[in-house]
Amino acid sequence: MPDTDEHSAPPQALDVIVIGAGIAGIYAVHKLRGLGFSVQALEAGDGVGGTWYWNRYPGCRVDIQSIEFSYSFSDDIQQSWDWSETMADQPELERYLNFVADRLDIRRHIQLNTRVTALTYDDSGACWTVRTEAGDEFAAQFVVCATGCLSEPLAPPIPGLETFAGQILYTSRFPAQGFDFTGKRVAVVGTGSSGVQAIPVIAEQAADLYVMQRSAAYTRPSPNRALAQPEWEQMKAGYADVRAQERASFAGTIYFPILPTPGSPPLTKRVVDSTPEERRQAIDELGWDAPWSWADVLENLEANAYAGEMYAELIRRVVVDPETAAALIPTYPVGCKRVIIENGYYQSFNRENVHLVDLKKGAITSIEPAGIQTEQDFFELDVLVFATGFDAMTGALTRMDITGRGGRTLREFWAAEGPVTYLGLQVEGFPNLFTVSGPGSPSVRSNMFQSIEQHVEFIAGALEYLRDKGCRVIEPRPGAADEWTSYAATLVNSTIMEADSCNSWFLGANIPGKKRVFMPYFGGLFSYRERCEDIVRADYEGFELSEPDAEGSTG
Ligand code: NAP
């Protein structure tokens, strides 16, 4: 394999192209370069950071603890970075990822402002041709798609959008310099995590804020607070222990706000056995922890409905106007969508300048030059903010023209079959192509940093193994991906995650026509990692390692 630092090497000399320079891309470049592979990352943005580069909307903040939402592979990095809050905001996370890129000295391997549009596999040479929007071509033996799970934004198909005379903003592409909403009439469309985080901040500036809600969200207040230096120093000294606990945990995280704090006794009480008085008492004593203080809330719809009632009561206790409070109460199972960690969301609706527009009572019909028309009203606006979500898990992959063996495209394959993968890492018929946090892996159902590190390390290990064996091609064996995807489906079948009343992006249900499949692996990162380790010990069981042959088959 050629030397890694040779930028002057011809493109076909590359071992690996990494697409994306977010959390996954940064680590992949570092890890693969360290193993002696020539590697080049191509990044659409003009900076590194991925999700934490693009989503610069006001209020954007991570929903697990900063100490956990960070790389664990380097103690030098852990010890050299200071978090200022327990749950970092977007600017701090973007600074962190830039700091890591510098510390690892990987910027010379990252080409910014380069959007990949097409990948084509050449069977005879076991090589991918990678094309960019600017028309450039690269060639590499392997491609690692570090393209993110929530990176392909959804532009709402609302007629007249292009006619709007004011400013249109997307939370997922928010201007780097920010935006001053002072004195403006603003609408936020969408009340998922992005909208719920942005609304309280915009509410403080806007003259009038219209919150256009199609589905109400389950939220809970963020426990975020400032971290004073002495406390942080003490936490930093305990990193080894934190990482060990993370690795032993279900989802690679120990301090997730809706989970019991570490060390607390396991939940034993069942809400289906509780009395109304006991549930009321739980709300009085535990507040927003109350719906999560029972063992069976996620077990079945009956138990879940009790948790929903507790949520309703909690919302009514904060939101003063009864009609607004009623409209803010969600109508789908608790926990089947991501529970949102918010900062003053419900309190915003007690402000005189914030108006909830319940789109269930009258959908948006068009956008006009002066504002939004719904079935019931017209809203005059200066600014439209879309927080309408993403084509999650698969969108960043299928938006590229990825053509594998025999001319089959990934887009067509997944549109017909759903996102069939082996371990969320590879797709049959697309040799030498890897997806980091692909569908079928724990990804968004886990601490993303932990999952990404595990995937990057698996891919790096596989490439090393291949090199040692003198092979050039790795792909799933026939049937391995079907088997894995079917197995993953059994873990989530008949849980509340797949309830008919749930239209989560986990299921692809936010995209009309997308195959309804629960995309992330539901069994947790711990068991997934163990399975991957078993597979490696069994000489990459389920993968086929081979040489390309002239017939175009790797037999
Ligand atoms: P989202 O959860 O998919 O929410 C999109 C919102 O837009 C929903 O309320 C949806 O309503 C609404 N919507 C979509 N199209 C619409 C239309 N045409 N008209 C009216 N409303 C429309 O997207 P997101 O808020 O960006 O969050 C996505 C995920 O990113 C989160 O679940 C989370 O995993 C991650 N995230 C995390 C954080 C964090 O960690 N703090 C912050 C932001 C995002 P329906 O529900 O009715 O479709």
Side-chain angles (χ1 to χ4, degrees), residues 33-238:
R33 181 186 62 175
L35 292 172
F37 295 103
S38 58
V39 55
Q40 169 78 59
L42 303 175
E43 163 59 51
D46 70 0
V48 302
T51 288
W52 302 98
Y53 164 92
W54 294 105
N55 291 269
R56 289 166 162 154
Y57 62 85
C60 182
R61 180 179 293 285
V62 70
D63 61 2
I64 67 170
Q65 300 276 326
S66 314
I67 189 170
E68 295 201 71
F69 199 68
S70 54
Y71 292 110
S72 69
F73 69 85
S74 158
D75 197 46
D76 168 58
I77 288 173
Q78 288 183 162
Q79 297 302 329
S80 312
W81 179 260
D82 295 327
W83 294 109
S84 67
E85 293 177 284
T86 55
M87 296 165 90
D89 64 9
Q90 178 275 329
E92 188 163 25
L93 276 157
E94 191 183 352
R95 280 199 302 278
Y96 168 73
L97 290 163
N98 274 278
F99 159 80
V100 174
D102 288 333
R103 193 85 175 183
L104 298 175
D105 188 24
I106 57 161
R107 287 193 193 270
R108 61 209 154 103
H109 302 287
I110 301 171
Q111 183 170 312
L112 300 173
N113 299 306
T114 306
R115 184 173 285 284
V116 172
T117 52
L119 306 170
T120 309
Y121 185 65
D122 165 22
D123 239 340
S124 54
C127 182
W128 284 94
T129 302
V130 178
R131 282 182 205 84
T132 72
E133 203 168 46
D136 295 329
E137 284 196 357
F138 296 79
Q141 188 184 349
F142 302 99
V143 174
V144 175
C145 295
T147 39
C149 293
L150 293 155
S151 48
E152 183 60 17
L154 279 186
I158 304 175
L161 183 59
E162 66 292 346
T163 68
F164 184 59
Q167 176 80 42
I168 298 179
L169 300 168
Y170 291 85
T171 50
S172 53
R173 294 288 180 270
F174 211 79
Q177 69 279 14
F179 187 86
D180 184 5
F181 292 95
T182 308
K184 306 268 196 249
R185 296 162 303 174
V186 183
V188 173
V189 182
T191 51
S193 301
S194 306
V196 164
Q197 286 191 329
I199 283 160
V201 185
I202 298 174
E204 284 177 10
Q205 296 174 14
D208 280 293
L209 172 59
Y210 298 91
V211 175
M212 305 267 165
Q213 172 190 275
R214 196 164 67 179
S215 305
Y218 289 105
T219 76
R220 56 146 305 147
S222 167
N224 179 50
R225 60 183 173 79
L227 265 175
Q229 194 62 19
E231 183 187 3
W232 172 240
E233 290 301 332
Q234 207 180 350
M235 286 170 84
K236 239 181 2 182

Side-chain angles (χ1 to χ4, degrees), residues 249-271:
S249 70
F250 178 78
T253 174
I254 46 180
Y255 294 114
F256 193 61
I258 65 165
L259 297 176
T261 38
S264 57
L267 300 174
T268 51
K269 286 189 303 175
R270 302 175 69 74
V271 72

Side-chain angles (χ1 to χ4, degrees), residues 296-316:
D296 53 345
V297 164
L298 297 180
E299 264 176 29
N300 59 57
L301 288 174
E302 187 198 351
N304 198 273
Y306 285 116
E309 281 170 20
M310 282 183 250
Y311 259 104
E313 173 60 17
L314 285 156
I315 293 166
R316 283 191 290 264

Side-chain angles (χ1 to χ4, degrees), residues 347-427:
Q347 286 80 354
S348 302
F349 293 95
N350 294 335
R351 298 175 65 106
E352 282 190 0
N353 66 330
V354 176
H355 321 283
L356 183 65
V357 181
D358 185 353
L359 299 179
K360 288 234 158 78
K361 292 187 178 151
I364 297 175
T365 52
S366 65
I367 292 173
E368 309 291 332
I372 287 184
Q373 180 72 56
T374 72
E375 285 165 346
Q376 292 199 317
D377 275 309
F378 184 74
F379 299 90
E380 281 196 34
L381 299 165
D382 304 306
V383 186
L384 278 177
V385 181
F386 288 106
T388 40
F390 301 87
D391 184 354
M393 311 270 323
T394 55
L397 297 162
T398 55
R399 62 163 283 282
M400 298 184 284
D401 294 323
I402 304 182
T403 309
R405 176 169 290 140
R408 184 164 71 158
T409 69
L410 187 68
R411 188 184 300 128
E412 284 162 5
F413 175 39
W414 279 359
E417 306 293 328
V420 180
T421 71
Y422 187 40
L423 301 168
L425 278 162
Q426 279 210 297
V427 182

